Amino acid sequence: MKLIIKEYLATLKERDELDAILPDLLSEIGLNVFTRPNRGSRQSGVDVGANGCMDGKDEMVYLFAIKSGDLDRDSWNGKSVQALRPSIEEIIDAYIPTRLPLEHKEKPIVICLCFGGVIKETVRLEVEGYQENISKKYGIKFEEWNGDKLANLILTNFLREELLPKKFQSYLRKSLSLLDEPEASYKHFINIVKMILRSDVKKDKEIATALRQLNICLWILFSWCREANNLEAAFLSSEFSVLYAWETTKSFLTQKTQISSQVISSFESILQVYQLICTQFLEVKIFPHVDKLFALSNAVRPSCEVDVNLKLFDVLGRIAISGIWNYWNLQKSIKNNNSDQSHVLKSKLQLYFNSIKQLIINNPILFSPYKDDQAIEIALATWFLALDSRNHKFIHDWLSELILRVFFNFKRYNKYPCIFRSYSQLIKHPESNLEEYRMEATSASILYPTIAAFSALLGFEDIYKEIQNKKEELLKHCNFQFWYPDEISETFFYTNSSMHGAALSHLFIEKSKEEFLNQIFKECKENHFFEEMSANKYGIFPIVLLGCRHFRLPIPVHFIKILKDGS
Amino acid sequence: MEKLKEKLFKAQNQGNLLEIIYEINNSSDNVKQTLNKALISLHNESKINIIAELRKSSLRLKGNDFFFSNRLILEEVLPEIVAPVDEVMDCVRHLYIEAGNDIAASWIFEAFKKYCEVDQLRSKNALQIIEISVEKWLCLIIPVITSGSKHQASEFLSKAILFTQHENINVRLKAIFAIGKINYDDNSVLLKKALESLKNIVNHEDDCRLLSQAMNAVYSLYVIDEKLKSEIIQIFKKILTKNDEIILNTTSEIFRFQNIKIPEELLDIILEALKNINHQNTTSLVNIDYGLHKLLELKQEEKVILFLEYVLLKNEKYLSIGNFSSAIRDILNNNQLLSKLVTRWFLSKNISLGKAIGDLFMSSHSKDIQIIADKDLLTKQPEGTCLFVVKKVIGWLFNRPISCISFIISIIDIANENEIDEISKLIFNPLLISFPGRVPPYLIKNKSNCSPKTQIIIDGALNKFDNFQSDIKAAIDIPELLPSQTHQEIYSRYFNQKFEDSLKTAQKNSIINKIASKSVLLYGHKSIDYIQDPNNDLHRVEIPLKSFEHSIEIPNLEYLDPFALDYMAVVFRLEGCCELK
């Protein structure tokens, strides 16, 4: 286990990544963290600051200067802005005299050189000599927090056997050993999540610890995935972790205790890992190829067209949901008057808009949904794109071509959207050209009403009419429907532990678009459970969309209504 | 032979002559001639009566093989046998009737004809017997008249003409047929007489069976004397005014079995008539197919194309080019004709003809047929025609990428700039993208044979394709995009099941499985067998196993954008055409 953790620590590539877990670790040890890392900048050389007693010693102030990987000549005193020695000098010259909180001024100070790997022998003498000089001169102590020490601390404070069920370590090992079979790895990680956030963890302190454990496990998985050049298991696991973590965190949102802020902070850490994984996957692996014709479709290395279809729609959904998180971050940033960050996030938002558009243009399988529940990805992408009215023409062109292809396939008995979800059914579909089979395969739909609703809302009269006509001509048997959360959705939505919600059937698609929208939005008014969902109540609505994507639930109509209301 | 004769004689006395003949006949291949000679000798010495033996009723009850084997013996010995005409006639008629509907039933008449020809009196006597009871001896009218005409053509022609006036239509039919088969020996007077009689029949008879028989006979006269051409053409014209299936079937037979070159004018009349063929009459269609094959051998390509065009369009719902398999083979083997046909039929803007081209290529096992656009047909066409034809080629021949690309690069020289722009896009997508294993090597190999203008287009398309390939390669290592292990396994199982099912279906109809027994080798790469020679010695033989493989390139777009392929095929096939199916 220690080797696994050491491996993880050694592979953390950025300083940000190491300091993402350090505060949690220090809190768990019992220290009080008074300075947390700020993105992009150090506070006069200090990445993390904490005080308290450790290993039975007197209370001390611990100031951490963090560096990823091994400490060599370059990272000790090279040209890099993140070199350690200049940071230590900054701590001594600037932080301790001017920024160290007053209450800690009189306490003994320990400067901790923190890095994921080891000190290279070539630089050890130099480092030790420097430390000795400083100690003599200022009475400041030094500690080396290398990968081995950090691994020991993680193991004894987070993942020790008394804290976790017996099977935990076995699941983690299985999950890490099956990274090339992401589905299997993900299944083992699900067990870890469920084990860590099990229902018998009830005390607030235990919950805070559990979330920190989950955060560290997710980090371990992510770093291993990154080394294996396959982020799939980490991606799926992080989505699941966010949803489960939210289920655990939501009850702390109204509390104002120290523990609740620790719980919320741990949830935010998990959310950050998730967003980091999304970014790494999309911005590093996917976006460079979205503007290349068929490049991503071909990269699926498919056995058949169904493979391309499923994978590309999945990628579409991932980009859309990540784009929505970006939008959410932007909103937050604007609210906080952080104009620099807003500027960055705005251009990132454009990157996501363009990536979706390029992805669709260059991978035309995205004009032909094979599964009715790909309405989820279509809704996510459409909703996201619709946030900017400059994208409306693109949405129109996409949906209009999509509808043309769907009905062309329908008439020719070729891969038209069906209600089947299993892969074995999809590769055979359509199994027969008999009308009876086609009626069964298209007996219900969220796809057509979703497109109709967006079209009605965005004023795509032609698409709405086309769906109306085809419903009359070809799909009389098909039950057009929408899904709405109900009174138990809040209980089960984030863990998908039971069926919940209600379907509004027999939509007024044959009527005018205004009447159709009235019908589906009226139900939104009748149904207040959506607004009462904790993620919505506390303003983290992307979690609902994430849950819909991950657990294959239709996007609630309320989101479409939000577009209408312009809120 | 004496021993054999003794054995046969003994058998005659014991009442099992035919059984012994059958036994001897089947014992060895070499015995047949000796057996025939022995039978002839014994019969002519009056020691046995082979005619009487074979006349016995219910021979067929002893089995088909027994019946036909003994009947065949008679066919072989009859010309040399001395026997009264009436007995022979009775026996032949009996054996004909006994044979029923078997295809070999009438083969006995040839032997009887030869029997009659041995002595001119035999035909005369036979004719007298027939005249007494024509209907009874109906089946022998033709052999008797044709054999008699060998020595007394005039007399037997007269008798045949007389029979053409008989009240029984079946007698008339036989007589008309016989007129066509008489040995005229270049006697123009007799030929004229025969022709007149047939003309008379055509003028007065209304029954299509008689008219079709007359047409057959008339054509036989033309084969003997080509100088009768103009009269015969008139008779054909008259008969073919009746658009009757029996007549058309006979016409198709004449067309099929044309043993001399049919005169141009008559050929046109025949082809015109055959355009009205009933699509359900498969016999006639097969005849026409063979006839077209002969026309193609005679380089009458234009006539074949026009005929096929007409028939396919008239019967578009019922007939396909596949009904003319012999003609298809010839067309596929004649690159120039094929290229012309492709250009012409795509230019026709007719969907049925476009489909015919698709079917034509589908019937070929060779996937690398190269075709070139017929520039004579394409010049003076309105702007956009080259692009139109290119789209048709891609629409109908997409799965034949070499045929597609060879045609397309041949058209570039005569296409205008706007068209070339579109054409080069089409070379890239869908052709190069879909068939990276076949189209680029073809273009590289054949580029040097093209004009500079075409070479520029090829270079442009190949460059674009290289860039495309680079983009594809750059994205190939994204393991997150690979289908899951579970999906891969499910698909593999599904594919294997489909493969097994189709293998079983194919093996059901395998000729090899029908003619050879199956033996499964579980291990090794050769088979060891011991083979016995005529001296019962065993020889060790090692038979190395051969592996057979077949590979196809599935268009990439089938996976990447199947809709686009399907949609493109439909649009390219139908776009700009005069009718929609």
Side-chain angles (χ1 to χ4, degrees):
Chain A
M1 213 38 206
K2 189 176 167 187
L3 281 175
I4 289 175
I5 298 164
K6 274 184 77 175
E7 175 80 18
Y8 144 67
L9 290 166
T11 57
L12 292 180
K13 287 185 176 145
E14 304 297 328
R15 192 171 57 84
D16 294 355
E17 295 180 359
L18 190 52
D19 57 37
I21 57 139
L22 193 63
D24 275 357
L25 183 60
L26 298 174
S27 297
E28 198 58 38
I29 291 167
L31 299 184
N32 170 45
V33 179
F34 57 80
T35 298
R36 284 181 174 272
N38 276 346
R39 278 203 167 196
S41 67
R42 286 173 172 176
Q43 295 184 17
S44 304
V46 173
D47 291 307
V48 178
N51 70 297
C53 305
M54 240 174 78
D55 306 328
K57 295 176 192 164
D58 291 340
E59 187 186 354
M60 294 192 195
V61 173
Y62 295 89
L63 303 176
F64 289 84
I66 301 172
K67 158 80 186 74
S68 66
D70 294 337
L71 187 67
D72 55 17
R73 195 169 293 282
D74 193 48
S75 52
W76 167 244
N77 195 17
K79 287 176 185 168
S80 157
V81 287
Q82 289 179 3
L84 266 184
R85 183 171 161 160
S87 296
I88 294 167
E89 283 166 1
E90 225 181 320
I91 293 172
I92 295 161
D93 297 342
Y95 187 85
I96 296 173
T98 61
R99 304 192 66 171
L100 183 68
L102 275 176
E103 66 267 32
H104 303 313
K105 285 270 186 191
E106 300 306 318
K107 293 171 189 165
I109 295 172
V110 182
I111 295 179
C112 302
L113 311 187
C114 183
F115 40 89
V118 292
I119 295 190
K120 295 275 186 188
E121 287 308 313
T122 50
V123 78
R124 180 168 284 284
L125 275 177
E126 207 176 311
V127 173
E128 285 175 359
Y130 176 79
Q131 288 175 353
E132 211 176 307
N133 286 340
I134 296 294
S135 293
K136 277 181 192 165
K137 202 170 172 184
Y138 300 105
I140 294 172
K141 288 184 181 172
F142 283 89
E143 277 186 20
E144 181 184 326
W145 286 48
N146 59 18
D148 197 62
K149 181 177 173 99
L150 289 169
N152 266 333
L153 289 171
I154 289 170
L155 206 54
T156 50
N157 290 285
F158 278 146
L159 308 178
R160 68 175 186 272
E161 283 180 9
E162 309 88 81
L163 285 178
L164 290 156
K166 270 187 179 172
K167 279 188 168 177
F168 164 79
Q169 292 195 358
S170 145
Y171 281 133
L172 186 60
R173 276 195 293 270
K174 280 182 190 166
S175 185
L176 296 178
S177 62
L178 290 168
L179 298 180
D180 286 338
E181 290 174 37
E183 209 178 278
S185 171
Y186 163 63
K187 277 180 186 157
H188 289 301
F189 200 85
I190 285 180
N191 288 329
I192 292 171
V193 177
K194 288 182 175 172
M195 206 172 264
I196 292 176
L197 301 178
R198 63 197 183 279
S199 53
D200 62 334
V201 177
K202 283 180 182 143
K203 288 183 191 161
D204 290 356
K205 176 86 177 70
E206 284 174 356
I207 290 171
T209 301
L211 286 171
R212 285 175 192 147
Q213 286 167 337
L214 178 57
N215 185 29
I216 196 89
C217 289
L218 196 55
W219 263 107
I220 293 172
L221 179 70
F222 171 42
S223 66
W224 276 64
C225 281
R226 194 166 51 182
E227 280 305 296
N229 185 34
N230 188 345
L231 295 175
E232 187 65 4
F235 193 103
L236 297 172
S237 302
S238 66
E239 284 192 336
F240 188 81
S241 300
V242 167
L243 292 162
Y244 250 73
W246 177 259
E247 177 63 27
T248 308
T249 307
K250 65 186 187 187
S251 58
F252 289 86
L253 293 165
T254 49
Q255 299 174 23
K256 294 212 166 147
T257 62
Q258 197 186 355
I259 285 292
S260 71
S261 68
Q262 283 178 11
V263 167
I264 293 164
S265 162
S266 295
F267 170 76
E268 282 169 355
S269 299
I270 292 168
L271 192 59
Q272 273 174 20
V273 189
Y274 157 69
Q275 290 189 349
L276 184 63
I277 294 170
C278 289
T279 307
Q280 292 257 323
F281 172 60
L282 296 173
E283 294 181 19
V284 177
K285 295 199 155 195
I286 301 297
F287 289 176
H289 309 291
V290 287
D291 59 342
K292 313 285 189 316
L293 182 64
F294 293 128
L296 290 169
S297 299
N298 191 71
V300 175
R301 287 187 254 166
S303 304
C304 61
E305 72 273 29
V306 174
D307 289 341
V308 184
N309 183 278
L310 297 182
K311 200 50 91 169
L312 266 291
F313 269 99
D314 185 53
V315 170
L316 178 71
R318 292 184 191 200
I319 302 179
I321 200 88
S322 281
I324 291 167
W325 277 110
N326 260 307
Y327 170 74
W328 180 75
N329 284 333
L330 175 65
Q331 297 294 95
K332 238 176 35 169
S333 169
I334 292 170
K335 212 171 162 186
N336 295 337
N337 289 323
N338 189 339
S339 60
D340 286 351
Q341 199 186 23
S342 299
H343 184 71
V344 173
L345 288 170
K346 267 181 194 165
S347 52
K348 212 170 173 190
L349 203 59
Q350 287 308 320
L351 171 73
Y352 276 75
F353 285 147
N354 288 335
S355 297
I356 285 195
K357 291 193 269 188
Q358 290 294 327
L359 180 81
I360 292 169
I361 290 166
N362 290 301
N363 298 281
I365 198 105
L366 290 171
F367 289 100
S368 306
Y370 290 170
K371 279 199 306 173
D372 190 75
D373 77 355
Q374 283 167 336
I376 298 167
E377 278 72 29
I378 292 170
L380 285 172
T382 307
W383 192 86
F384 173 58
L385 289 173
L387 292 172
D388 187 336
S389 59
R390 286 171 295 183
N391 295 326
H392 287 191
K393 185 180 178 309
F394 178 86
I395 298 173
H396 172 267
D397 295 348
W398 175 37
L399 295 182
S400 139
E401 178 71 14
L402 186 147
I403 283 297
L404 181 140
R405 290 186 179 214
V406 161
F407 289 118
F408 181 86
N409 281 340
F410 191 95
K411 283 183 177 171
R412 288 174 66 80
Y413 295 89
N414 273 346
K415 298 267 180 229
Y416 48 86
C418 63
I419 56 167
F420 309 131
R421 293 184 193 173
S422 82
Y423 182 75
S424 52
Q425 279 178 303
L426 285 169
I427 52 175
K428 288 182 205 155
H429 172 71
E431 266 186 271
S432 142
N433 283 355
L434 292 176
E435 202 46 39
E436 202 181 358
Y437 170 87
R438 193 162 68 171
M439 282 172 77
E440 191 202 331
T442 57
S443 53
S445 177
I446 57 162
L447 175 71
Y448 303 111
T450 299
I451 297 173
F454 276 111
S455 301
L457 191 70
L458 299 173
F460 308 152
E461 192 80 41
D462 52 340
I463 301 174
Y464 184 78
K465 277 256 175 298
E466 184 64 6
I467 294 174
Q468 215 174 29
N469 292 341
K470 291 297 186 282
K471 165 78 176 154
E472 176 66 22
E473 186 190 334
L474 306 167
L475 292 163
K476 271 191 174 154
H477 60 280
C478 178
N479 182 14
F480 282 18
Q481 57 196 281
F482 274 122
W483 178 82
Y484 294 79
D486 67 0
E487 65 278 12
I488 58 166
S489 291
E490 175 58 25
T491 313
F492 299 115
F493 182 83
Y494 309 104
T495 53
N496 198 35
S497 43
S498 179
M499 295 279 272
H500 58 94
L504 175 66
S505 286
H506 308 295
L507 304 173
F508 295 165
I509 194 79
E510 71 284 0
K511 298 191 178 170
S512 74
K513 63 181 200 298
E514 289 77 16
E515 284 172 281
F516 172 66
L517 287 178
N518 276 342
Q519 182 199 18
I520 60 173
F521 291 160
K522 184 172 173 283
E523 184 56 32
C524 292
K525 278 184 195 162
E526 301 285 328
N527 178 320
H528 54 279
F529 303 110
F530 174 78
E531 286 81 6
E532 285 174 11
M533 286 178 80
S534 53
N536 290 325
K537 221 155 62 177
Y538 296 109
I540 316 181
F541 70 89
I543 289 184
V544 178
L545 295 171
L546 177 66
C548 290
R549 194 199 98 76
H550 195 85
F551 298 128
R552 311 307 299 156
L553 278 169
I555 308 302
V557 184
H558 307 74
F559 278 103
I560 305 176
K561 190 168 178 291
I562 288 169
L563 281 182
K564 180 184 172 250
D565 299 342
S567 51
Chain B
M1 185 162 99
E2 284 312 311
K3 257 188 174 176
L4 180 63
K5 282 171 75 175
E6 209 172 297
K7 191 177 179 181
L8 291 168
F9 181 64
K10 204 174 160 190
Q12 160 91 358
N13 292 336
Q14 288 172 348
N16 60 350
L17 179 63
L18 292 182
E19 283 78 3
I20 294 297
I21 292 173
Y22 178 69
E23 191 184 299
I24 296 168
N25 197 24
N26 284 313
S27 64
S28 160
D29 285 344
N30 308 326
V31 77
K32 197 162 223 169
Q33 247 184 338
T34 323
L35 175 66
N36 286 353
K37 278 182 185 164
L39 285 171
I40 292 164
S41 170
L42 284 170
H43 180 90
N44 290 345
E45 288 164 15
S46 302
K47 288 184 177 162
I48 62 167
N49 188 342
I50 187 74
I51 301 293
E53 285 293 328
L54 284 163
R55 176 61 187 87
K56 281 177 186 167
S57 59
S58 310
L59 277 186
R60 209 168 172 185
L61 292 178
K62 294 183 178 177
N64 271 349
D65 195 38
F66 181 82
F67 172 73
F68 281 106
S69 172
N70 282 310
R71 211 184 85 139
L72 189 63
I73 296 282
L74 180 69
E75 285 171 29
E76 285 162 1
V77 301
L78 188 57
E80 292 181 52
I81 269 177
V82 179
V85 173
D86 57 342
E87 279 180 28
V88 173
M89 284 173 74
D90 185 46
C91 178
V92 168
R93 178 176 170 271
H94 168 72
L95 291 174
Y96 169 70
I97 293 166
E98 279 276 282
N101 289 328
D102 196 282
I103 194 170
S106 60
W107 293 0
I108 189 98
F109 296 138
E110 196 52 37
F112 177 67
K113 213 176 107 187
K114 285 179 186 162
Y115 160 82
C116 291
E117 283 170 359
V118 171
D119 179 352
Q120 54 179 305
L121 275 175
R122 286 181 180 170
S123 307
K124 227 171 180 174
N125 288 344
L127 190 60
Q128 281 167 359
I129 293 168
I130 288 170
E131 279 179 320
I132 293 165
S133 180
V134 187
E135 276 146 355
K136 178 186 172 187
W137 299 106
L138 197 62
C139 62
L140 294 179
I141 290 175
I142 295 167
V144 166
I145 287 179
T146 50
S147 61
S149 70
K150 191 177 178 189
H151 301 294
Q152 303 153 74
S154 173
E155 190 186 339
F156 278 83
L157 173 63
S158 301
K159 285 292 176 192
I161 293 171
L162 212 61
F163 281 141
T164 63
Q165 288 149 22
H166 196 276
E167 59 182 9
N168 185 327
I169 188 168
N170 291 323
V171 175
R172 302 208 302 270
L173 278 169
K174 298 285 180 191
I176 294 168
F177 186 86
I179 289 173
K181 297 294 169 194
I182 280 174
N183 178 16
Y184 292 100
D185 210 12
D186 289 339
N187 184 330
S188 58
V189 178
L190 287 185
L191 280 166
K192 199 83 190 152
K193 188 179 170 186
L195 190 63
E196 282 307 314
S197 71
L198 291 170
K199 220 190 276 182
N200 198 34
I201 290 163
V202 172
N203 286 334
H204 294 98
E205 290 284 5
D206 203 37
D207 191 294
C208 289
R209 286 172 295 166
L210 291 167
L211 292 174
S212 86
Q213 201 69 285
M215 192 162 68
N216 235 332
V218 163
Y219 184 71
S220 300
L221 297 186
Y222 169 74
V223 173
I224 298 166
D225 185 358
E226 292 183 23
K227 289 196 289 286
L228 301 173
K229 186 175 88 177
S230 57
E231 284 168 286
I232 277 160
I233 287 171
Q234 291 315 311
I235 295 172
F236 261 73
K237 271 186 181 169
K238 185 160 175 59
I239 295 173
L240 288 171
T241 52
K242 285 185 182 292
N243 189 12
D244 177 81
E245 204 168 331
I246 297 172
I247 292 173
L248 286 181
N249 191 47
T250 305
T251 313
S252 74
E253 281 172 3
I254 292 169
F255 183 55
R256 172 181 181 160
F257 297 110
Q258 43 187 297
N259 42 10
I260 58 163
K261 191 180 171 194
I262 301 177
E264 193 80 6
E265 201 182 336
L266 182 57
L267 182 62
D268 289 342
I269 292 166
I270 286 176
L271 283 170
E272 199 56 36
L274 290 178
K275 284 177 180 174
N276 298 317
I277 201 72
N278 178 355
H279 62 85
Q280 290 174 318
N281 191 333
T282 47
T283 313
S284 297
L285 286 171
V286 170
N287 291 337
I288 291 171
D289 181 32
Y290 280 110
L292 294 174
H293 161 69
K294 283 191 177 166
L295 280 192
L296 288 169
E297 279 183 343
L298 296 167
K299 307 280 173 218
Q300 297 264 33
E301 291 151 358
E302 190 65 22
K303 285 193 194 306
V304 173
I305 292 178
L306 286 172
F307 179 80
L308 284 174
E309 264 175 23
Y310 185 92
V311 172
L312 291 173
L313 290 177
K314 189 178 174 205
N315 300 284
E316 58 187 359
K317 284 186 184 156
Y318 312 104
L319 284 185
S320 79
I321 190 96
N323 290 86
F324 305 98
S325 54
S326 302
I328 284 181
R329 215 169 29 247
D330 294 330
I331 293 169
L332 288 169
N333 288 332
N334 182 340
N335 203 269
Q336 203 180 350
L337 173 62
L338 182 62
S339 298
K340 182 180 177 182
L341 198 67
V342 170
T343 316
R344 179 186 169 108
W345 283 4
F346 284 152
L347 268 177
S348 72
K349 300 187 175 181
N350 191 289
I351 294 163
S352 296
L353 295 180
K355 182 179 177 300
I357 293 293
D359 293 344
L360 187 72
F361 278 77
M362 281 294 283
S363 68
S364 163
H365 294 298
S366 163
K367 292 201 181 286
D368 289 341
I369 303 171
Q370 295 182 42
I371 45 172
I372 50 168
D374 188 322
K375 289 178 182 134
D376 293 340
L377 292 173
L378 284 164
T379 46
K380 293 182 188 165
Q381 292 285 350
E383 193 179 324
T385 304
C386 289
L387 180 61
F388 174 84
V389 177
V390 164
K391 285 183 177 178
K392 293 287 165 278
V393 167
I394 295 174
W396 289 108
L397 304 180
F398 185 71
N399 285 320
R400 302 284 165 154
I402 299 301
S403 306
C404 272
I405 194 68
S406 57
F407 187 94
I408 292 171
I409 59 171
S410 75
I411 216 170
I412 289 172
D413 278 337
I414 53 166
N416 67 35
E417 287 309 310
N418 290 339
E419 287 176 321
I420 287 174
D421 196 36
E422 288 297 314
I423 290 170
S424 53
K425 282 180 193 163
L426 291 171
I427 293 176
F428 171 69
N429 185 5
L431 289 175
L432 282 166
I433 286 184
S434 289
F435 300 101
R438 304 185 70 206
V439 176
Y442 177 85
L443 287 176
I444 292 164
K445 190 179 164 195
N446 292 281
K447 197 178 80 174
S448 56
N449 303 327
C450 299
S451 69
K453 183 181 172 187
T454 307
Q455 285 189 14
I456 292 170
I457 302 303
I458 292 174
D459 283 338
L462 286 174
N463 281 340
K464 202 172 171 189
F465 179 67
D466 283 345
N467 293 336
F468 171 77
Q469 287 285 76
S470 305
D471 290 345
I472 291 282
K473 277 180 195 156
I476 204 69
D477 188 26
I478 308 179
E480 291 87 342
L481 293 182
L482 299 183
S484 71
Q485 192 86 6
T486 321
H487 286 185
Q488 288 180 38
E489 280 161 15
I490 291 172
Y491 187 81
S492 173
R493 274 201 299 276
Y494 167 70
F495 182 80
N496 288 341
Q497 186 62 51
K498 262 177 82 169
F499 186 79
E500 252 175 55
D501 291 348
S502 51
L503 194 67
K504 275 181 194 160
T505 314
Q507 281 179 345
K508 261 185 202 169
N509 304 318
S510 161
I511 294 173
I512 293 174
N513 278 354
K514 281 175 188 159
I515 60 173
S517 61
K518 190 170 156 184
S519 176
V520 178
L521 300 181
L522 294 175
Y523 304 101
H525 69 120
K526 53 189 170 186
S527 155
I528 302 166
D529 290 290
Y530 284 86
I531 293 172
Q532 199 172 23
D533 70 8
N535 302 323
N536 288 341
D537 293 331
L538 290 174
H539 296 276
R540 186 177 181 278
V541 179
E542 281 188 7
I543 304 167
L545 301 180
K546 300 266 184 207
S547 63
F548 296 93
E549 58 181 29
H550 178 69
S551 66
I552 49 166
E553 185 174 16
I554 297 171
N556 276 346
L557 287 180
E558 289 262 3
Y559 294 158
L560 304 179
D561 190 10
F563 170 87
L565 259 195
D566 190 29
Y567 189 71
M568 177 200 70
V570 172
V571 171
F572 281 10
R573 286 172 184 183
L574 306 186
E575 194 179 52
C577 286
C578 49
E579 52 175 315
L580 291 175
K581 252 188 173 180

